[in-house]
Amino acid sequence: MDNLMQLSCEEFLAKLASKDAVPGGGGAAALSGAVGAALTSMVANLTVGKEKFMAVEGEMLRLLAAGEYLRRELLVLAQEDARVFDAFMNCYKMPKNTETEKELRAAKIQEAAEMAASIPLRIGEKSLSVLLLAAEAAELGNPAVITDAAVAALTGRAAVRSAIYNVRINLQLIKNEAYRSVTAARLEELEREAAELEIKILAQVDKVLALA
């Protein structure tokens, strides 16, 4: 399996477009979140060191560090999503000639399905954190790059929604009702928080643009 983190943008998109199963929607969601994180770093970088924004220098330095951390984490999760998918598919190749083999295969599939759901869930949670940074960038950052904060919010929001769908399809394979219930509740929470943040951020962006 290729190291997705080492691919160029063109190479990643070519693999995404190919008939290979990975990278797929999970990797695309993680990349979208990473783009959002990178844009929050951009806003911070274009705010830090400017005399007129010295009052928020500390906040911008913290935002910059957090954005860089999330960008790296989301790229790692893109790779992890591909690895987990491959492992999941390998479970279906396990022998099923005897009852013992069938039971072991079924157990491994359930274990892999839970792992396959957990990775996009983490992508969704990290992408929600991107939205939180985008909110700070829009409120405190250099207004000359306010639209970059908006795009950070939109790509982060897309990443959250995309990750949620990737979790939901894996939940359909999981028989553990307690796991399904807890995870479904977390997805509802993620969706609600992301939607609220998107509205808040875009309202702030529209306000700044109206005053420009």
Side-chain angles (χ1 to χ4, degrees):
M1 183 176 64
D2 291 326
N3 185 341
L4 301 179
M5 295 177 66
Q6 299 302 317
L7 299 180
S8 68
C9 289
E10 183 176 357
E11 290 168 338
F12 185 94
L13 292 176
K15 286 194 67 66
L16 198 61
S18 75
K19 63 181 180 180
D20 293 340
V22 292
L31 182 61
S32 180
V35 168
L39 282 168
T40 65
S41 293
M42 175 187 175
V43 174
N45 272 317
L46 290 171
T47 307
V48 168
K50 297 185 182 299
E51 184 65 31
K52 64 189 297 186
F53 302 120
M54 287 305 295
V56 295
E57 181 92 353
E59 287 88 341
M60 287 294 105
L61 288 171
R62 178 180 51 76
L63 190 153
L64 178 59
E68 293 298 283
Y69 167 78
L70 284 172
R71 177 164 58 88
R72 289 192 298 269
E73 285 289 295
L74 282 158
L75 289 177
V76 168
L77 285 171
Q79 184 71 37
E80 187 68 4
D81 184 75
R83 184 193 68 78
V84 167
F85 181 84
D86 280 344
F88 183 44
M89 289 296 98
N90 286 335
C91 290
Y92 283 96
K93 300 175 184 177
M94 294 176 65
K96 50 180 178 177
N97 300 311
T98 67
E99 286 303 315
T100 299
E101 286 178 345
K102 289 178 182 177
E103 290 176 5
L104 178 60
R105 178 176 177 274
K108 287 296 184 181
I109 287 174
Q110 287 299 301
E111 181 181 315
E114 290 191 15
M115 183 59 69
S118 72
I119 300 303
L121 179 59
R122 287 170 60 192
I123 291 171
E125 290 173 336
K126 296 291 185 184
S127 297
L128 182 67
S129 295
V130 170
L131 278 163
L132 289 168
L133 293 188
E136 287 191 74
E139 182 179 357
L140 302 176
N142 185 343
V145 286
I146 189 74
T147 54
D148 296 292
V151 176
L154 292 168
T155 52
R157 174 77 166 105
V160 173
R161 295 193 71 182
S162 301
I164 286 172
Y165 275 112
N166 278 277
V167 177
R168 286 174 59 190
I169 195 169
N170 285 300
L171 284 183
Q172 294 180 349
L173 303 172
I174 296 171
K175 297 178 180 178
N176 185 330
E177 288 298 331
Y179 181 93
R180 286 166 58 101
S181 178
V182 169
T183 304
R186 179 56 179 147
L187 293 182
E188 289 183 8
E189 185 179 16
L190 275 177
E191 174 60 27
R192 177 182 55 77
E193 292 180 8
E196 290 174 355
L197 279 167
E198 180 187 21
I199 291 170
K200 174 184 176 182
I201 295 164
L202 295 184
Q204 172 66 15
V205 172
D206 289 341
K207 177 182 176 182
V208 170
L209 290 177
L211 296 173

